[in-house]
Amino acid sequence: GENVEQHPSTLSVQEGDSAVIKCTYSDSASNYFPWYKQELGKRPQLIIDIRSNVGEKKDQRIAVTLNKTAKHFSLHITETQPEDSAVYFCAANSGGSNYKLTFGKGTLLTVNP
Amino acid sequence: DVKVTQSSRYLVKRTGEKVFLECVQDMDHENMFWYRQDPGLGLRLIYFSYDVKMKEKGDIPEGYSVSREKKERFSLILESASTNQTSMYLCASSLTASSGNTIYFGEGSWLTVV
């Protein structure tokens, strides 16, 4: 089955700096890669996603890049703010499945004012 | 706005008890999921359902079962709770079977088994 590795497990940055979180996946049939943000005590919520026919996608201060050849994708947050502090999860759909997402273990991002 | 509601936010159960976790979604979604979240392990899929009365095992189904008698409701059942099932349980739903539909999560149910 699919295996998703996520690094780093914790990341601390100063307000205004950029943050990058990286994920690798194992299943070459995966074609959908969402990122979820989970604030303390709250539910995970989708912040951005990318499909395999696209190499990069941006939404204001966040962007995701995908390298299908190397089987890795990354989340980039620019001009970080304290409200960006949360746990971020990457995911990939298993075997091109229409239903099943496999998640990484999460990255705790702390943005220091 | 999609709403996925988990009826119990915090539960404490004894070892060996039968536990029901209930989840309801109000957006006519076809797919429903149960995940388990543990520190350092991320979100792991227990079971999912793509239609009423249909279910498939996820990555960690042992010790769990599910029921989907109505489209809007998906129940997770622990037949005989054990201490290693102490965790946060997240229900989720998504719209249709086409690839890449957004998964919407509930607020989570914190289960402690003593």
Side-chain angles (χ1 to χ4, degrees), chain A residues 31-32 36 38 41-46 49 51 87 89 93 96-106, chain B residues 4 9 31 33 35 37 40-43 45 48 50 59 88 90 97-103 105-107:
Chain A
N31 56 15
Y32 175 63
Y36 283 78
Q38 186 178 30
K42 297 193 175 179
R43 71 186 81 195
Q45 291 193 290
L46 179 75
D49 58 14
R51 298 173 199 274
V87 177
F89 293 98
N93 64 327
S97 167
N98 291 335
Y99 318 105
K100 188 178 171 186
L101 288 179
T102 298
F103 284 83
K105 293 188 167 119
Chain B
V4 180
R9 292 297 313 276
N31 308 320
F33 310 83
Y35 283 87
Q37 182 173 12
L41 297 179
L43 304 170
L45 182 64
F48 65 100
Y50 51 88
D59 297 316
M88 216 259 273
L90 285 163
S98 61
S99 182
N101 274 284
T102 302
I103 288 182
F105 286 92
E107 293 282 4

Side-chain angles (χ1 to χ4, degrees), chain B residues 2-59:
Chain B
V2 176
K3 194 159 186 183
V4 180
T5 303
Q6 295 180 231
S7 54
S8 302
R9 292 297 313 276
Y10 303 95
L11 306 94
V12 179
K13 298 292 181 180
R14 293 192 181 278
T15 300
E17 274 193 79
K18 190 169 186 176
V19 181
F20 293 87
L21 299 180
E22 306 286 346
C23 176
V24 176
Q25 50 92 5
D26 66 355
M27 287 302 291
D28 202 35
H29 282 179
E30 290 186 7
N31 308 320
M32 296 189 75
F33 310 83
W34 275 105
Y35 283 87
R36 171 174 171 163
Q37 182 173 12
D38 299 287
L41 297 179
L43 304 170
R44 295 180 291 167
L45 182 64
I46 305 171
Y47 266 97
F48 65 100
S49 168
Y50 51 88
D51 200 354
V52 175
K53 298 191 187 292
M54 304 303 289
K55 60 186 179 185
E56 284 201 24
K57 292 179 180 178
D59 297 316

Side-chain angles (χ1 to χ4, degrees), chain A residues 5-7 10 15-18 27 29 33 38 42 44-45 50 56 66 68-70 76 82 84 88 93 101 108-109:
Chain A
E5 300 279 345
Q6 182 172 347
H7 299 281
T10 61
E15 184 176 357
D17 287 351
S18 295
D27 190 340
F33 308 91
Q38 186 178 30
K42 297 193 175 179
Q45 291 193 290
I50 191 167
E56 183 176 2
L66 170 65
K68 282 221 75 179
T69 304
H76 304 254
D84 295 327
Y88 291 81
N93 64 327
L101 288 179
L108 174 62
L109 173 65

Side-chain angles (χ1 to χ4, degrees), chain A residues 42-109:
Chain A
K42 297 193 175 179
R43 71 186 81 195
Q45 291 193 290
L46 179 75
I47 54 171
I48 195 167
D49 58 14
I50 191 167
R51 298 173 199 274
S52 60
N53 57 348
V54 175
E56 183 176 2
K57 184 176 178 181
K58 283 185 179 179
D59 183 5
Q60 299 183 339
R61 294 186 299 107
I62 60 172
V64 58
T65 58
L66 170 65
N67 183 327
K68 282 221 75 179
T69 304
K71 296 202 193 80
H72 67 71
F73 56 113
S74 301
L75 177 72
H76 304 254
I77 307 173
T78 58
E79 300 171 22
T80 53
Q81 301 166 5
E83 51 265 38
D84 295 327
S85 296
V87 177
Y88 291 81
F89 293 98
C90 63
N93 64 327
S94 305
S97 167
N98 291 335
Y99 318 105
K100 188 178 171 186
L101 288 179
T102 298
F103 284 83
K105 293 188 167 119
T107 297
L108 174 62
L109 173 65

